[in-house]
Amino acid sequence: MIIYRDAKTADTLRLAALSIEVWLNTYAKAGISDVFAEYVLQRFTPHYFEQIITEGAKQIILAEQDDHLLGYIVIDYQATLPESLDALTAATEISTLYVRARHGGNGMGSALMQQAREAVIARNVSHIWLSVLHDNYPALNFYKQQGFQRQGTIWFELPGERHENYVLTQAVLPA
């Protein structure tokens, strides 16, 4: 049975490892460059996740089975809206939704998204938004099935590289 719960500081090692796995699988299509290796090893550390958990501006909900981490979602309640979403007055970012590739397609991503929706609704936020790599077709199809709509583009920048990301939104409260 898959259990969904808020992350604790004891989860930080597993969160870091899963993040590196999923991020590289998504972005490093041509292989792992020095830029990608440096990014994931500096970004996805246990300390990074410990800060998220203890500061409280973000919420991590994870999915686990038999004490094994399978995926997680991060809700950023204080994220800055991209320019294309300036008209929204209350929106929260889903900054990360990672599910191990071998565990995809079994409803876990949908369940994590539903957990996030419920958390956002409890805070009376009307919309959620996220960004997704422009050619991550499995993710784009997933978000379309979830009812998200494209609202613009932002760029994910690394030293010497720019990666186009689509901005997607969804209303979670009735208008």
Side-chain angles (χ1 to χ4, degrees), residues 3-7 11-12 14-23 43-45 48-49 52 59-64 69-75 94-100 108-109 111-113 116 143:
I3 296 169
Y4 300 91
R5 64 171 177 82
D6 284 342
D11 299 313
T12 60
R14 296 182 304 147
L15 287 164
L18 187 141
S19 299
I20 292 168
E21 175 188 19
V22 174
W23 195 94
R43 171 69 181 256
F44 300 121
T45 66
Y48 168 77
F49 287 102
I52 290 174
Q59 178 181 3
I60 302 175
I61 301 169
L62 46 92
E64 63 182 1
L69 181 63
L70 307 178
Y72 72 90
I73 193 164
V74 179
I75 309 162
I94 303 300
S95 61
T96 308
L97 173 55
Y98 285 171
V99 173
R100 294 192 70 219
M108 188 184 321
L112 284 165
M113 186 61 72
Y143 293 125

Short mmCIF file of all heavy atoms in Angstrom, two decimals, residues 3-7 11-12 14-23 43-45 48-49 52 59-64 69-75 94-100 108-109 111-113 116 143:
data_model
loop_
_atom_site.label_atom_id
_atom_site.label_comp_id
_atom_site.label_asym_id
_atom_site.label_seq_id
_atom_site.Cartn_x
_atom_site.Cartn_y
_atom_site.Cartn_z
N ILE A 3 1.61 5.02 0.90
CA ILE A 3 1.25 5.98 1.94
C ILE A 3 1.69 7.36 1.49
O ILE A 3 2.81 7.53 0.97
CB ILE A 3 1.93 5.60 3.27
CG1 ILE A 3 1.41 4.25 3.76
CG2 ILE A 3 1.71 6.69 4.32
CD1 ILE A 3 2.19 3.69 4.91
N TYR A 4 0.84 8.35 1.69
CA TYR A 4 1.13 9.74 1.37
C TYR A 4 1.20 10.50 2.69
O TYR A 4 0.29 10.39 3.51
CB TYR A 4 0.05 10.33 0.46
CG TYR A 4 -0.05 9.58 -0.84
CD1 TYR A 4 -0.92 8.50 -0.98
CD2 TYR A 4 0.77 9.90 -1.91
CE1 TYR A 4 -0.99 7.78 -2.16
CE2 TYR A 4 0.71 9.19 -3.10
CZ TYR A 4 -0.17 8.13 -3.22
OH TYR A 4 -0.22 7.43 -4.38
N ARG A 5 2.29 11.25 2.88
CA ARG A 5 2.46 11.99 4.12
C ARG A 5 3.41 13.15 3.91
O ARG A 5 4.16 13.20 2.93
CB ARG A 5 2.98 11.08 5.23
CG ARG A 5 4.37 10.53 4.97
CD ARG A 5 4.93 9.82 6.19
NE ARG A 5 6.23 9.22 5.93
CZ ARG A 5 7.40 9.87 5.97
NH1 ARG A 5 7.44 11.17 6.23
NH2 ARG A 5 8.53 9.23 5.73
N ASP A 6 3.38 14.10 4.86
CA ASP A 6 4.33 15.21 4.83
C ASP A 6 5.73 14.68 5.12
O ASP A 6 5.91 13.79 5.96
CB ASP A 6 3.96 16.27 5.85
CG ASP A 6 2.78 17.13 5.41
OD1 ASP A 6 2.47 17.15 4.21
OD2 ASP A 6 2.19 17.80 6.28
N ALA A 7 6.71 15.27 4.45
CA ALA A 7 8.10 14.88 4.65
C ALA A 7 8.59 15.35 6.02
O ALA A 7 8.13 16.36 6.56
CB ALA A 7 8.98 15.47 3.56
N ASP A 11 13.72 12.16 6.15
CA ASP A 11 13.53 11.76 4.75
C ASP A 11 14.52 12.42 3.79
O ASP A 11 14.50 12.13 2.59
CB ASP A 11 12.11 12.14 4.28
CG ASP A 11 11.04 11.45 5.10
OD1 ASP A 11 11.15 10.24 5.32
OD2 ASP A 11 10.08 12.15 5.50
N THR A 12 15.39 13.30 4.28
CA THR A 12 16.18 14.14 3.38
C THR A 12 17.15 13.37 2.48
O THR A 12 17.34 13.75 1.33
CB THR A 12 16.94 15.23 4.16
OG1 THR A 12 17.82 14.60 5.11
CG2 THR A 12 15.97 16.16 4.88
N ARG A 14 16.78 10.34 1.21
CA ARG A 14 16.01 9.70 0.14
C ARG A 14 15.47 10.74 -0.84
O ARG A 14 15.43 10.49 -2.04
CB ARG A 14 14.87 8.87 0.74
CG ARG A 14 15.39 7.71 1.59
CD ARG A 14 14.30 6.83 2.15
NE ARG A 14 13.35 7.59 2.94
CZ ARG A 14 12.05 7.30 3.03
NH1 ARG A 14 11.54 6.28 2.39
NH2 ARG A 14 11.25 8.03 3.77
N LEU A 15 15.05 11.90 -0.33
CA LEU A 15 14.58 12.97 -1.22
C LEU A 15 15.69 13.43 -2.15
O LEU A 15 15.47 13.63 -3.35
CB LEU A 15 14.04 14.14 -0.40
CG LEU A 15 12.70 13.92 0.28
CD1 LEU A 15 12.46 14.96 1.36
CD2 LEU A 15 11.57 13.93 -0.74
N ALA A 16 16.90 13.58 -1.62
CA ALA A 16 18.03 14.00 -2.45
C ALA A 16 18.34 12.97 -3.53
O ALA A 16 18.51 13.32 -4.70
CB ALA A 16 19.26 14.26 -1.57
N ALA A 17 18.39 11.70 -3.15
CA ALA A 17 18.72 10.66 -4.12
C ALA A 17 17.66 10.55 -5.22
O ALA A 17 18.00 10.48 -6.41
CB ALA A 17 18.87 9.31 -3.39
N LEU A 18 16.40 10.56 -4.84
CA LEU A 18 15.32 10.45 -5.84
C LEU A 18 15.34 11.67 -6.77
O LEU A 18 15.15 11.54 -7.98
CB LEU A 18 13.97 10.32 -5.15
CG LEU A 18 12.80 10.03 -6.10
CD1 LEU A 18 11.84 9.05 -5.46
CD2 LEU A 18 12.06 11.30 -6.47
N SER A 19 15.61 12.84 -6.22
CA SER A 19 15.64 14.07 -7.03
C SER A 19 16.71 14.00 -8.11
O SER A 19 16.46 14.37 -9.26
CB SER A 19 15.89 15.29 -6.14
OG SER A 19 14.86 15.42 -5.20
N ILE A 20 17.89 13.55 -7.73
CA ILE A 20 18.98 13.44 -8.70
C ILE A 20 18.59 12.45 -9.81
O ILE A 20 18.77 12.73 -11.00
CB ILE A 20 20.29 13.03 -8.02
CG1 ILE A 20 20.79 14.18 -7.12
CG2 ILE A 20 21.35 12.63 -9.04
CD1 ILE A 20 21.92 13.81 -6.19
N GLU A 21 18.04 11.33 -9.42
CA GLU A 21 17.63 10.31 -10.39
C GLU A 21 16.61 10.87 -11.39
O GLU A 21 16.80 10.75 -12.61
CB GLU A 21 17.03 9.11 -9.66
CG GLU A 21 16.45 8.06 -10.59
CD GLU A 21 15.69 6.97 -9.86
OE1 GLU A 21 15.28 7.15 -8.71
OE2 GLU A 21 15.50 5.91 -10.48
N VAL A 22 15.55 11.49 -10.89
CA VAL A 22 14.48 11.95 -11.76
C VAL A 22 14.93 13.15 -12.59
O VAL A 22 14.65 13.23 -13.79
CB VAL A 22 13.20 12.27 -10.96
CG1 VAL A 22 12.14 12.90 -11.85
CG2 VAL A 22 12.67 11.01 -10.29
N TRP A 23 15.65 14.09 -11.98
CA TRP A 23 16.10 15.28 -12.71
C TRP A 23 17.00 14.88 -13.88
O TRP A 23 16.81 15.36 -15.00
CB TRP A 23 16.81 16.25 -11.77
CG TRP A 23 16.97 17.61 -12.35
CD1 TRP A 23 16.14 18.68 -12.18
CD2 TRP A 23 18.02 18.07 -13.23
NE1 TRP A 23 16.62 19.77 -12.88
CE2 TRP A 23 17.76 19.42 -13.54
CE3 TRP A 23 19.15 17.47 -13.78
CZ2 TRP A 23 18.58 20.17 -14.36
CZ3 TRP A 23 19.97 18.22 -14.61
CH2 TRP A 23 19.68 19.55 -14.90
N ARG A 43 22.56 21.21 -5.80
CA ARG A 43 21.17 21.55 -5.50
C ARG A 43 20.49 20.51 -4.61
O ARG A 43 19.91 20.83 -3.59
CB ARG A 43 20.39 21.73 -6.80
CG ARG A 43 18.89 21.87 -6.68
CD ARG A 43 18.52 23.21 -6.03
NE ARG A 43 17.11 23.36 -5.88
CZ ARG A 43 16.33 24.12 -6.63
NH1 ARG A 43 16.85 24.80 -7.61
NH2 ARG A 43 15.06 24.21 -6.39
N PHE A 44 20.52 19.29 -5.03
CA PHE A 44 19.73 18.25 -4.37
C PHE A 44 20.54 17.57 -3.26
O PHE A 44 21.00 16.43 -3.41
CB PHE A 44 19.23 17.24 -5.40
CG PHE A 44 18.36 17.85 -6.46
CD1 PHE A 44 18.71 17.76 -7.79
CD2 PHE A 44 17.18 18.50 -6.12
CE1 PHE A 44 17.89 18.32 -8.78
CE2 PHE A 44 16.37 19.05 -7.09
CZ PHE A 44 16.73 18.97 -8.42
N THR A 45 20.68 18.26 -2.17
CA THR A 45 21.42 17.75 -1.02
C THR A 45 20.46 17.52 0.14
O THR A 45 19.39 18.14 0.19
CB THR A 45 22.50 18.75 -0.58
OG1 THR A 45 21.87 19.93 -0.10
CG2 THR A 45 23.46 19.08 -1.73
N TYR A 48 19.60 20.87 1.63
CA TYR A 48 18.59 21.61 0.86
C TYR A 48 17.19 21.20 1.29
O TYR A 48 16.31 22.04 1.56
CB TYR A 48 18.81 21.36 -0.63
CG TYR A 48 17.70 21.82 -1.54
CD1 TYR A 48 17.54 23.17 -1.85
CD2 TYR A 48 16.82 20.90 -2.10
CE1 TYR A 48 16.52 23.59 -2.69
CE2 TYR A 48 15.80 21.32 -2.94
CZ TYR A 48 15.65 22.66 -3.23
OH TYR A 48 14.64 23.06 -4.07
N PHE A 49 16.94 19.90 1.39
CA PHE A 49 15.62 19.42 1.78
C PHE A 49 15.32 19.68 3.25
O PHE A 49 14.18 19.96 3.61
CB PHE A 49 15.45 17.94 1.40
CG PHE A 49 15.29 17.75 -0.07
CD1 PHE A 49 16.35 17.32 -0.84
CD2 PHE A 49 14.08 18.05 -0.69
CE1 PHE A 49 16.21 17.17 -2.22
CE2 PHE A 49 13.94 17.91 -2.06
CZ PHE A 49 15.00 17.47 -2.82
N ILE A 52 14.01 23.21 3.42
CA ILE A 52 12.63 23.29 2.95
C ILE A 52 11.68 22.82 4.04
O ILE A 52 10.67 23.48 4.34
CB ILE A 52 12.43 22.45 1.67
CG1 ILE A 52 13.14 23.10 0.49
CG2 ILE A 52 10.93 22.29 1.36
CD1 ILE A 52 13.11 22.26 -0.77
N GLN A 59 5.89 22.96 1.24
CA GLN A 59 5.42 21.71 1.84
C GLN A 59 5.80 20.58 0.90
O GLN A 59 5.57 20.66 -0.31
CB GLN A 59 3.89 21.76 2.01
CG GLN A 59 3.29 20.52 2.59
CD GLN A 59 1.77 20.63 2.73
OE1 GLN A 59 1.15 21.62 2.34
NE2 GLN A 59 1.17 19.59 3.26
N ILE A 60 6.38 19.53 1.45
CA ILE A 60 6.72 18.34 0.67
C ILE A 60 5.81 17.21 1.13
O ILE A 60 5.76 16.88 2.31
CB ILE A 60 8.19 17.91 0.86
CG1 ILE A 60 9.14 19.05 0.47
CG2 ILE A 60 8.48 16.65 0.04
CD1 ILE A 60 10.61 18.73 0.75
N ILE A 61 5.09 16.65 0.16
CA ILE A 61 4.27 15.47 0.42
C ILE A 61 4.92 14.33 -0.33
O ILE A 61 5.19 14.44 -1.54
CB ILE A 61 2.81 15.68 -0.05
CG1 ILE A 61 2.18 16.88 0.66
CG2 ILE A 61 1.99 14.41 0.19
CD1 ILE A 61 0.85 17.32 0.07
N LEU A 62 5.17 13.23 0.37
CA LEU A 62 5.83 12.13 -0.31
C LEU A 62 4.95 10.90 -0.39
O LEU A 62 3.97 10.77 0.34
CB LEU A 62 7.19 11.81 0.32
CG LEU A 62 7.33 11.71 1.81
CD1 LEU A 62 7.13 10.29 2.29
CD2 LEU A 62 8.75 12.14 2.16
N ALA A 63 5.32 10.04 -1.32
CA ALA A 63 4.66 8.75 -1.52
C ALA A 63 5.69 7.68 -1.23
O ALA A 63 6.78 7.70 -1.79
CB ALA A 63 4.15 8.62 -2.95
N GLU A 64 5.32 6.77 -0.33
CA GLU A 64 6.25 5.71 -0.01
C GLU A 64 5.50 4.40 0.17
O GLU A 64 4.30 4.38 0.45
CB GLU A 64 7.08 6.04 1.23
CG GLU A 64 6.31 6.18 2.50
CD GLU A 64 7.18 6.56 3.69
OE1 GLU A 64 8.40 6.73 3.55
OE2 GLU A 64 6.61 6.69 4.79
N LEU A 69 10.91 5.40 -0.65
CA LEU A 69 10.40 6.60 -1.32
C LEU A 69 10.19 6.32 -2.81
O LEU A 69 11.10 5.84 -3.50
CB LEU A 69 11.38 7.76 -1.14
CG LEU A 69 10.98 9.09 -1.76
CD1 LEU A 69 9.70 9.63 -1.12
CD2 LEU A 69 12.12 10.10 -1.61
N LEU A 70 8.99 6.63 -3.30
CA LEU A 70 8.65 6.40 -4.70
C LEU A 70 8.45 7.70 -5.47
O LEU A 70 8.61 7.74 -6.69
CB LEU A 70 7.37 5.56 -4.80
CG LEU A 70 7.35 4.25 -4.03
CD1 LEU A 70 6.00 3.57 -4.19
CD2 LEU A 70 8.49 3.34 -4.47
N GLY A 71 8.08 8.77 -4.76
CA GLY A 71 7.84 10.05 -5.40
C GLY A 71 7.50 11.10 -4.37
O GLY A 71 7.31 10.79 -3.19
N TYR A 72 7.44 12.36 -4.84
CA TYR A 72 7.06 13.45 -3.95
C TYR A 72 6.61 14.66 -4.75
O TYR A 72 6.89 14.77 -5.95
CB TYR A 72 8.19 13.81 -2.98
CG TYR A 72 9.37 14.52 -3.60
CD1 TYR A 72 9.42 15.91 -3.68
CD2 TYR A 72 10.45 13.81 -4.10
CE1 TYR A 72 10.51 16.56 -4.24
CE2 TYR A 72 11.53 14.45 -4.66
CZ TYR A 72 11.57 15.83 -4.72
OH TYR A 72 12.64 16.46 -5.29
N ILE A 73 5.94 15.57 -4.05
CA ILE A 73 5.49 16.83 -4.65
C ILE A 73 5.85 17.95 -3.69
O ILE A 73 5.79 17.78 -2.47
CB ILE A 73 3.98 16.79 -4.95
CG1 ILE A 73 3.55 17.96 -5.85
CG2 ILE A 73 3.15 16.73 -3.68
CD1 ILE A 73 2.17 17.77 -6.48
N VAL A 74 6.29 19.09 -4.24
CA VAL A 74 6.63 20.26 -3.43
C VAL A 74 5.67 21.38 -3.79
O VAL A 74 5.52 21.74 -4.96
CB VAL A 74 8.08 20.73 -3.66
CG1 VAL A 74 8.39 21.97 -2.81
CG2 VAL A 74 9.07 19.62 -3.38
N ILE A 75 5.04 21.94 -2.76
CA ILE A 75 4.13 23.07 -2.91
C ILE A 75 4.87 24.29 -2.35
O ILE A 75 5.27 24.30 -1.19
CB ILE A 75 2.83 22.85 -2.11
CG1 ILE A 75 2.21 21.49 -2.45
CG2 ILE A 75 1.85 23.99 -2.36
CD1 ILE A 75 1.20 21.02 -1.43
N ILE A 94 3.37 24.55 -7.77
CA ILE A 94 3.81 23.18 -7.59
C ILE A 94 5.22 23.18 -8.17
O ILE A 94 5.39 23.13 -9.39
CB ILE A 94 2.89 22.17 -8.33
CG1 ILE A 94 1.44 22.29 -7.88
CG2 ILE A 94 3.43 20.75 -8.17
CD1 ILE A 94 1.20 22.05 -6.40
N SER A 95 6.22 23.30 -7.32
CA SER A 95 7.58 23.49 -7.83
C SER A 95 8.24 22.19 -8.25
O SER A 95 9.17 22.21 -9.06
CB SER A 95 8.45 24.22 -6.80
OG SER A 95 8.56 23.49 -5.60
N THR A 96 7.75 21.07 -7.73
CA THR A 96 8.32 19.78 -8.10
C THR A 96 7.27 18.69 -7.98
O THR A 96 6.53 18.66 -6.99
CB THR A 96 9.50 19.40 -7.17
OG1 THR A 96 10.43 20.48 -7.11
CG2 THR A 96 10.20 18.15 -7.63
N LEU A 97 7.22 17.84 -8.96
CA LEU A 97 6.46 16.58 -8.87
C LEU A 97 7.35 15.52 -9.49
O LEU A 97 7.51 15.46 -10.71
CB LEU A 97 5.11 16.66 -9.59
CG LEU A 97 4.34 15.34 -9.69
CD1 LEU A 97 4.12 14.69 -8.33
CD2 LEU A 97 3.01 15.54 -10.39
N TYR A 98 7.97 14.71 -8.64
CA TYR A 98 8.89 13.68 -9.11
C TYR A 98 8.37 12.31 -8.68
O TYR A 98 8.06 12.09 -7.50
CB TYR A 98 10.28 13.86 -8.50
CG TYR A 98 11.11 14.98 -9.09
CD1 TYR A 98 12.31 15.35 -8.51
CD2 TYR A 98 10.72 15.67 -10.23
CE1 TYR A 98 13.10 16.35 -9.03
CE2 TYR A 98 11.50 16.68 -10.77
CZ TYR A 98 12.69 17.02 -10.16
OH TYR A 98 13.46 18.02 -10.68
N VAL A 99 8.30 11.42 -9.64
CA VAL A 99 7.96 10.01 -9.40
C VAL A 99 9.02 9.20 -10.13
O VAL A 99 9.33 9.48 -11.30
CB VAL A 99 6.55 9.66 -9.92
CG1 VAL A 99 6.28 8.17 -9.81
CG2 VAL A 99 5.49 10.46 -9.17
N ARG A 100 9.58 8.21 -9.46
CA ARG A 100 10.56 7.34 -10.12
C ARG A 100 9.94 6.76 -11.39
O ARG A 100 8.79 6.34 -11.39
CB ARG A 100 10.99 6.21 -9.19
CG ARG A 100 11.75 6.70 -7.97
CD ARG A 100 12.41 5.56 -7.23
NE ARG A 100 13.51 5.06 -8.04
CZ ARG A 100 13.83 3.77 -8.15
NH1 ARG A 100 13.12 2.86 -7.52
NH2 ARG A 100 14.84 3.39 -8.90
N MET A 108 0.14 7.27 -9.01
CA MET A 108 0.82 7.96 -7.92
C MET A 108 0.96 9.45 -8.17
O MET A 108 0.76 10.26 -7.25
CB MET A 108 2.20 7.35 -7.69
CG MET A 108 2.89 7.88 -6.45
SD MET A 108 4.55 7.23 -6.26
CE MET A 108 4.36 5.54 -6.76
N GLY A 109 1.29 9.84 -9.38
CA GLY A 109 1.39 11.27 -9.70
C GLY A 109 0.05 11.96 -9.51
O GLY A 109 -0.02 13.06 -8.96
N ALA A 111 -2.35 11.00 -7.52
CA ALA A 111 -2.64 11.03 -6.08
C ALA A 111 -1.83 12.13 -5.39
O ALA A 111 -2.36 12.85 -4.52
CB ALA A 111 -2.35 9.68 -5.45
N LEU A 112 -0.56 12.29 -5.76
CA LEU A 112 0.24 13.37 -5.19
C LEU A 112 -0.34 14.74 -5.57
O LEU A 112 -0.42 15.64 -4.74
CB LEU A 112 1.70 13.26 -5.64
CG LEU A 112 2.52 12.19 -4.94
CD1 LEU A 112 3.82 11.92 -5.70
CD2 LEU A 112 2.82 12.60 -3.50
N MET A 113 -0.76 14.87 -6.82
CA MET A 113 -1.36 16.14 -7.26
C MET A 113 -2.64 16.42 -6.48
O MET A 113 -2.90 17.56 -6.09
CB MET A 113 -1.63 16.11 -8.76
CG MET A 113 -2.10 17.43 -9.32
SD MET A 113 -0.93 18.80 -9.12
CE MET A 113 0.31 18.33 -10.31
N ALA A 116 -1.80 17.71 -3.13
CA ALA A 116 -1.39 19.11 -3.22
C ALA A 116 -2.59 20.03 -3.38
O ALA A 116 -2.67 21.09 -2.75
CB ALA A 116 -0.41 19.30 -4.38
N TYR A 143 -0.12 16.47 -17.24
CA TYR A 143 -0.72 17.72 -16.75
C TYR A 143 -1.97 18.09 -17.55
O TYR A 143 -2.93 18.61 -16.99
CB TYR A 143 0.30 18.85 -16.75
CG TYR A 143 1.39 18.63 -15.73
CD1 TYR A 143 2.73 18.63 -16.09
CD2 TYR A 143 1.08 18.38 -14.39
CE1 TYR A 143 3.73 18.42 -15.15
CE2 TYR A 143 2.07 18.16 -13.45
CZ TYR A 143 3.39 18.18 -13.84
OH TYR A 143 4.37 17.96 -12.90
#
